[in-house]
């Protein structure tokens, strides 16, 4: 049990959250190593040990620190990065470069050079221009880049538009128009500096239905068949992305990985087996579903403002600088007063941040007990896309991160100091 209550205080992974807030200050991200390792076990049980030649490339954009790289390495997972910064973090942590996969719709020449110099395991080519630069830099370095093409599968999903990526009108992926797609494939097959391994798709995020994955797989298998016919070339790898939904609120009903992956694997195996072809490697890239439920945020409550007959605003010492998701795409979170867990909740309030934006609202409606200045608010399931999207807006300092493990906690990211905020400034 990750969440428990003792003496009216919320405990997370065996740690008293009120003590954590006292010791490390707030806002504070608290990540549970116990929950992360449990998730690794779940992925091994549901996917990696079920099918040969499969990999999990954790999508680092959801949350990335050196300490997490060490856990992922120990568990034998791969990492999907999308920037020089994420790549650098992994390499500095000693993470094996061959287990790194590099995505991104606009990789710079510097980033591509880094990826080739470090000899990352895969570069996922996002569009024809991306391909040109990758192949040119590989040629200049006289190296061979191992690539997959990310395709736009033209599949719409039922999620917020800002986290939907697989539709035809998307900035991500190679368009499937014959005149764009096939010349690109042919060039990759013929290039001395490219090892063309296969295809990649990613449909979006916070998805609860397996049908879009099934549809995208069918579409990709059709492309694989057409590439076989045209070039007598069979791909060796298929990456079906991430996007698996998690529970933020009661209304969310997440499904096990097997619900998404069983039908996908069945389709892939049927296709390859029926043609007597070697089955490909299959890779998934979970981000949110891997890390989202392993983290909480702790805040200290400050000013409380009642507007009679309108609403009560309860302010916290963070906000959109440590969780931009409610402002960015109306994400909804649950929370609780961590030092008053046993008190009856009777009042609806709005939790707002301290940033100078009216949109800086963390939770529109939260039912709380009698709430006072100095109480500690916890927001649940903030492990994904909160710390990684944090900003210094209003020159607020980035929060600290602690990692818990069965009652023990250690600091893995220090809180920024005021000096850090001006460190790079020149007069
Ligand atoms: C290419 C790619 N793979 C994986 C992910 C991870 O998605 P999620 O966190 O929803 O699992 C993303 C998210 O944007 C992505 O763009």
């Amino acid at each position: 049990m990750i969440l428990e209550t003792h003496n009216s205080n919320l405990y997370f992974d065996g740690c008293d959250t009120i003590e954590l807030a006292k010791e490390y200050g707030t806002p504070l991200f608290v990540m549970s190593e116990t929950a992360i390792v449990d998730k690794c076990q779940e992925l091994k049980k549901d996917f990696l040990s079920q099918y040969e030649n499969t990999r999990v490339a954790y999508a680092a954009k959801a949350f990335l620190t050196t300490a997490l790289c060490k856990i992922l390495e120990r568990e034998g997972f791969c990492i999907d990065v999308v920037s020089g910064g994420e790549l650098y973090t992994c390499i500095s942590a000693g993470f094996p470069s061959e287990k790194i996969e590099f995505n991104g719709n606009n990789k710079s020449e510097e980033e591509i050079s880094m990826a080739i110099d470090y000899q990352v395991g895969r570069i996922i080519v996002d569009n024809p221009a991306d391909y040109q630069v990758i192949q040119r830099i590989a040629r200049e370095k006289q190296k061979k880049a191992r690539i997959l093409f990310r395709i736009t599968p033209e599949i719409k999903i039922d999620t917020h538009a800002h986290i939907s990526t697989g539709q035809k009108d998307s900035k991500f992926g190679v368009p499937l128009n014959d005149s764009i797609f096939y010349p690109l494939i042919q060039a990759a097959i013929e290039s001395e500096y490219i090892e063309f391994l296969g295809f990649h798709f990613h449909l979006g995020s916070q998805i609860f239905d397996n049908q879009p994955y099934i549809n995208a797989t069918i579409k990709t298998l059709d492309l694989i068949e057409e590439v076989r016919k045209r070039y007598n070339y069979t791909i060796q790898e298929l990456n079906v992305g991430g996007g698996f939904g998690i529970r933020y609120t009661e209304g969310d009903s997440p499904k096990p990985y097997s619900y998404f992956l069983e039908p996908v694997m069945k389709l892939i195996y049927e296709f390859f087996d029926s043609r007597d072809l070697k089955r490909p490697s299959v890779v998934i890239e979970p981000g949110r579903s891997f890390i989202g439920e392993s983290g909480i945020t702790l805040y200290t409550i400050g000013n409380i403002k009642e507007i009679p007959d309108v609403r009560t605003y309860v302010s916290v010492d963070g906000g959109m600088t440590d969780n931009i998701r409610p402002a960015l795409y109306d994400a909804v979170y649950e929370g609780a007063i961590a030092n008053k867990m046993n008190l009856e909740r009777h009042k609806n309030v709005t939790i707002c941040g301290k940033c100078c934006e009216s949109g800086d609202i963390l939770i529109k409606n939260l039912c709380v007990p009698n709430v006072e200045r100095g109480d500690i608010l916890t927001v649940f399931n903030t492990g994904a896309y909160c710390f990684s999207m944090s900003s210094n807006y209003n020159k607020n300092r980035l929060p600290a991160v602690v990692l818990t493990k069965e009652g023990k906690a250690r600091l893995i990211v220090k809180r920024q100091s005021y000096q850090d905020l001006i460190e790079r400034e020149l007069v």
Side-chain angles (χ1 to χ4, degrees):
M1 267 297 271
I2 286 287
L3 294 171
E4 286 167 323
T5 299
H6 297 293
N7 300 327
S8 216
N9 282 5
L10 176 74
Y11 277 62
F12 180 73
D13 193 6
C15 296
D16 182 344
T17 57
I18 307 309
E19 289 302 320
L20 291 177
K22 259 192 219 147
E23 183 166 353
Y24 299 101
T26 55
L28 182 70
F29 285 105
V30 188
M31 305 295 297
S32 161
E33 181 167 346
T34 310
I36 294 168
V37 171
D38 281 355
K39 204 42 102 170
C40 293
Q41 297 313 321
E42 188 184 326
L43 277 157
K44 286 177 190 172
K45 185 171 110 336
D46 273 19
F47 183 57
L48 295 172
S49 65
Q50 290 291 323
Y51 311 97
E52 281 178 5
N53 209 2
T54 42
R55 301 199 304 277
V56 174
Y58 163 67
K61 65 194 68 136
F63 176 91
L64 183 68
T65 67
T66 304
L68 181 62
C69 289
K70 304 268 187 210
I71 298 174
L72 292 166
E73 184 186 356
R74 203 176 64 213
E75 294 293 327
F77 282 44
C78 299
I79 303 186
D80 154 42
V81 301
V82 292
S83 71
E86 289 184 355
L87 177 57
Y88 183 80
T89 304
C90 296
I91 296 290
S92 303
F95 193 82
S97 61
E98 70 276 9
K99 289 193 158 186
I100 298 176
E101 325 217 337
F102 199 156
N103 258 293
N105 69 303
N106 188 27
K107 305 170 194 80
S108 68
E109 300 201 4
E110 183 193 25
E111 289 172 327
I112 293 168
S113 287
M114 274 170 84
I116 293 176
D117 288 343
Y118 286 133
Q119 299 185 304
V120 301
R122 306 282 183 273
I123 301 181
I124 320 292
V125 179
D126 195 272
N127 52 68
D130 198 28
Y131 173 79
Q132 294 305 337
V133 187
I134 292 166
Q135 113 90 34
R136 171 170 57 74
I137 294 176
R139 192 186 63 224
E140 283 164 9
K141 292 180 182 290
Q142 292 291 301
K143 295 252 176 71
K144 207 162 191 167
R146 294 158 69 80
I147 68 153
L148 273 75
F149 283 108
R150 175 172 180 170
I151 58 162
T152 310
E154 302 179 6
I155 306 275
K156 276 202 172 154
I157 54 166
D158 183 19
T159 195
H160 194 283
H162 290 184
I163 49 174
S164 178
T165 58
Q167 70 283 5
K168 187 176 175 120
D169 183 358
S170 167
K171 76 168 184 168
F172 297 107
V174 177
L176 297 185
N177 307 53
D178 284 4
S179 60
I180 299 173
F181 182 74
Y182 291 108
L184 196 58
I185 301 298
Q186 186 172 358
I189 290 172
E190 289 171 359
S191 171
E192 273 182 69
Y193 304 102
I194 295 292
E195 188 177 348
F196 165 46
L197 296 174
F199 293 116
H200 169 289
F201 64 74
H202 173 71
L203 302 172
S205 203
Q206 195 57 351
I207 305 171
F208 295 101
D209 182 9
N210 63 9
Q211 198 58 47
Y213 289 88
I214 294 171
N215 295 347
T217 303
I218 292 171
K219 205 148 195 178
T220 312
L221 292 172
D222 287 346
L223 292 177
I224 292 171
E225 180 67 351
E226 190 57 32
V227 168
R228 269 170 43 78
K229 271 196 206 135
R230 288 187 187 214
Y231 309 111
N232 191 26
Y233 192 91
T234 305
I235 60 103
Q236 309 161 38
E237 188 159 311
L238 201 50
N239 183 324
V240 300
F244 317 108
I246 68 166
R247 187 190 306 277
Y248 284 107
T249 66
E250 287 286 295
D252 296 328
S253 43
K255 310 279 192 328
Y257 287 109
S258 54
Y259 164 79
F260 297 96
L261 299 170
E262 260 176 36
V264 164
M265 294 305 289
K266 189 164 178 277
L267 284 166
I268 296 170
Y269 281 3
E270 273 170 11
F271 177 95
F272 282 80
D273 292 354
S274 66
R275 289 162 181 76
D276 216 10
L277 298 170
K278 184 171 181 300
R279 290 173 173 178
S281 310
V282 180
V283 186
I284 58 169
E285 288 176 347
R288 188 190 309 283
S289 65
F290 183 83
I291 203 81
E293 292 169 352
S294 300
I296 57 171
T297 314
L298 301 177
Y299 301 94
T300 302
I301 286 169
N303 292 331
I304 299 171
K305 171 175 146 177
E306 304 225 6
I307 311 174
D309 305 324
V310 179
R311 74 173 68 238
T312 299
Y313 283 100
V314 172
S315 312
V316 295
D317 53 356
M320 63 193 296
T321 38
D322 53 75
N323 187 354
I324 187 76
R325 297 187 66 253
L328 195 60
Y329 32 66
D330 299 319
V332 182
Y333 284 87
E334 298 279 4
I337 305 302
N339 53 315
K340 293 182 173 170
M341 296 301 286
N342 285 346
L343 299 194
E344 198 195 330
R345 296 171 169 222
H346 59 86
K347 187 178 166 115
N348 252 343
V349 300
T350 291
I351 306 291
C352 65
K354 61 173 294 183
C355 300
C356 296
E357 294 287 324
S358 292
D360 180 24
I361 303 291
L362 283 178
I363 304 180
K364 247 187 202 133
N365 284 303
L366 182 66
C367 192
V368 291
N370 178 35
V371 61
E372 295 158 290
R373 188 182 185 84
D375 284 343
I376 300 296
L377 173 83
T378 178
V379 177
F380 298 113
N381 298 335
T382 56
Y385 301 107
C386 290
F387 177 65
S388 59
M389 287 189 174
S390 310
S391 79
N392 284 129
Y393 179 52
N394 291 163
K395 284 243 197 267
N396 283 312
R397 295 170 295 165
L398 296 185
V401 184
V402 296
L403 187 69
T404 59
K405 192 176 175 191
E406 293 165 4
K408 295 208 169 70
R410 68 186 169 99
L411 191 64
I412 59 166
V413 182
K414 288 194 276 184
R415 184 177 307 283
Q416 269 185 328
S417 65
Y418 284 126
Q419 184 57 31
D420 288 334
L421 293 176
I422 55 166
E423 202 68 80
R424 292 167 303 112
E425 297 188 10
L426 307 172
V427 182

